Amino acid sequence: MAQIEDIMTIAPVIPVLIINDPAHARPVAEALVAGGLRALEVTLRTPCALEVIAEMAKVDGAVVGAGTVLNGDDLKRSVDAGARFIVSPGLTANVANAARAASVPLLPGTANASDIMRGLDLGLTHFKFFPATAAGGIPALKALSAPFGQARFCPTGGIKAETAAEWLALPSVLCVGGSWLVPAGTPDVTAITARARQATTLAA
């Protein structure tokens, strides 16, 4: 089984995807992979999300995960659809234990010290910092990182192409989640690939 750190270090940005049409799944995944972004988070925010995961999982080179996983049932359905990692907006023992039972890497959401301590109690050291901007931005994550030197983060929520590099400069940050790579609507695959290529240089 891959470790969540393996997923987080594939590229500096994990695209956070809300796909409303399964027909867009493969073109979007192919465009992102062509641009160098292989780890893809498909959020369970649309009725077709599991179908999108299944389609994207067929794309050579793509490492597809499920986001907005709220409980064990969401996790099982996502894994059955082909998800290779799980992202949750929060941290619960239910989801953590389900991920452990399914042998699937988990990136749970945290926003404060209590969340991180609960995660550490569950044997976790890698977290999503969410919602990153609303939860206090870079100053908040710097402050949280100080007492938790073993913790590593993927800030997500409110991060833009223009601000991602500032987050990635933090020693505790391995990657960021970005929704700017694939705007809503019919995908422009050329533009998506160009944005993906630019995103791969953010940590340079």
Side-chain angles (χ1 to χ4, degrees):
M1 179 185 89
Q3 301 299 311
I4 193 62
E5 182 161 338
D6 298 332
I7 306 294
M8 295 171 73
T9 54
I10 289 175
V13 180
I14 296 178
V16 179
L17 307 171
I18 302 173
I19 306 294
N20 291 290
D21 185 344
H24 297 162
R26 290 189 72 156
V28 166
E30 288 167 352
L32 289 166
V33 170
L37 300 182
R38 296 175 46 235
L40 315 176
E41 177 190 339
V42 177
T43 61
L44 301 187
R45 298 185 188 183
T46 66
C48 65
L50 295 173
E51 187 178 351
V52 169
I53 289 171
E55 284 301 307
M56 287 191 170
K58 299 173 185 175
V59 173
D60 190 37
V63 180
V64 183
T68 323
V69 173
L70 305 181
N71 52 56
D73 289 340
D74 284 349
L75 187 146
K76 183 181 186 307
R77 292 184 297 121
S78 298
V79 171
D80 288 347
R84 292 165 61 183
F85 65 97
I86 298 295
V87 184
S88 181
L91 194 162
T92 67
N94 177 22
V95 172
N97 291 333
R100 188 176 296 112
S103 297
V104 61
L106 172 67
L107 187 64
T110 57
N112 54 52
S114 295
D115 291 342
I116 296 168
M117 290 173 69
R118 187 162 60 252
L120 294 172
D121 284 346
L122 291 165
L124 303 169
T125 55
H126 292 64
F127 306 102
K128 176 165 81 163
F129 179 56
F130 177 81
T133 301
I138 288 173
L141 186 53
K142 280 183 177 178
L144 284 170
S145 297
F148 302 111
Q150 70 273 57
R152 294 294 178 266
F153 297 94
C154 174
T156 304
I159 295 173
K160 303 175 182 178
E162 298 78 18
T163 60
E166 298 174 56
W167 289 91
L168 289 163
L170 300 181
S172 62
V173 171
L174 296 183
C175 62
V176 300
S179 58
W180 77 84
L181 293 139
V182 182
T186 302
D188 178 341
V189 294
T190 301
I192 290 170
T193 296
R195 282 190 289 270
R197 285 202 181 103
Q198 192 272 335
T200 63
T201 70
L202 289 171

